[in-house]
Amino acid sequence: MDPIDNMLDLLGSDRKIDFAAQVEGFNNYNVTLEEYPCDTHRLKQVIQLVKEKSGWGKSLPKGKGIGFAAHRSFLTYVACVVEVEVDDNNNIKIPMVHFAIDCGVPVNPDRIRAQFEGGAAFGASLALKSEINVKNGAVMEENFNNYLVARMEDAPINTAVHFVENEEKPTGVGNPLFPRLYLHFAMPFLWRPEKGLRDCQ
């Protein structure tokens, strides 16, 4: 089944999920679920928006893949589609990243776009470059000479940020892009077994 259709099917009918009743000690970022509920309708909206804007479902040539993930974090709903390209020498390029965001009323849209554009580059670092090794209880990496981060050639070539328009209260936009970044980048490789992720590093 298509991953996005599967996600929408799993979410089912629109409802507000009472995690406090299901998870002991559930902390809704120190606010009540009545004030900021976990709303499946809003999650579905970002998924549907990113599906539309990214052209999800289009045919891709050999060596190209596309990944998707969605979540709620810091009271904000985010969905992301990442296009990844691997050439015959196993070099990885990220031609396009699409984010769909429901953060309530976007108080400063340009700043939010910048945050997510930078986050896409940071996500490329986490997925493709950054590594921490521990030996005899000590971290081996000392600085950016051996803890690698994405350079210009590694960063996404294009990043588009799309907002769900509503009148909900503003919510966080600093960290909601990070929790699923590994999955965004990994999924294209899972769908392209001839170019497994391990072979591309």
Side-chain angles (χ1 to χ4, degrees):
M1 187 179 203
D2 177 271
I4 289 186
D5 291 340
N6 185 49
M7 174 72 86
L8 292 169
D9 188 53
L10 288 171
L11 286 170
S13 59
D14 294 345
R15 64 197 187 283
K16 294 177 174 61
I17 301 175
D18 185 3
F19 283 114
Q22 302 176 35
V23 181
E24 184 177 353
F26 176 77
N27 185 318
N28 194 39
Y29 302 97
N30 296 316
V31 297
T32 66
L33 281 167
E34 289 74 19
E35 188 177 9
Y36 290 95
C38 298
D39 190 338
T40 63
H41 173 69
R42 294 178 70 183
L43 184 57
K44 287 193 289 185
Q45 280 189 311
V46 293
I47 294 170
Q48 290 161 342
L49 181 60
V50 83
K51 179 179 181 179
E52 172 195 342
K53 296 295 186 180
S54 67
W56 181 268
K58 62 188 176 185
S59 61
L60 297 169
K62 182 180 178 181
K64 286 193 174 184
I66 191 167
F68 154 79
H71 70 115
R72 174 185 182 268
S73 175
F74 292 85
L75 311 174
T76 291
Y77 302 82
V78 180
C80 183
V81 166
V82 177
E83 293 182 27
V84 178
E85 180 178 334
V86 185
D87 66 19
D88 292 336
N89 295 317
N90 285 342
N91 297 311
I92 298 173
K93 292 289 184 187
I94 306 167
M96 191 73 210
V97 177
H98 285 274
F99 285 108
I101 311 164
D102 179 353
C103 58
V105 176
V107 176
N108 190 333
D110 287 342
R111 181 59 62 89
I112 297 170
R113 287 189 187 93
Q115 181 75 19
F116 276 75
E117 288 164 355
F122 184 41
S125 289
L126 295 176
L128 303 175
K129 295 287 184 180
S130 303
E131 183 178 1
I132 297 286
N133 295 284
V134 178
K135 184 176 181 180
N136 297 326
V139 173
M140 303 302 294
E141 287 71 29
E142 300 167 333
N143 210 317
F144 291 112
N145 62 312
N146 52 10
Y147 177 79
L148 302 180
V149 297
R151 306 298 184 185
M152 290 292 289
E153 64 181 11
D154 308 308
I157 297 169
N158 298 289
T159 302
V161 180
H162 315 283
F163 295 100
V164 172
E165 295 184 7
N166 60 38
E167 296 298 320
E168 299 287 347
K169 294 183 287 291
T171 51
V173 293
N175 293 307
L177 60 162
F178 295 122
R180 296 294 179 265
L181 278 166
Y182 291 113
L183 184 56
H184 300 151
F185 287 106
M187 277 185 63
F189 298 102
L190 296 175
W191 293 358
R192 300 286 182 177
E194 76 279 5
K195 296 289 186 182
L197 183 57
R198 291 183 180 178
D199 296 332
C200 298
Q201 293 184 343

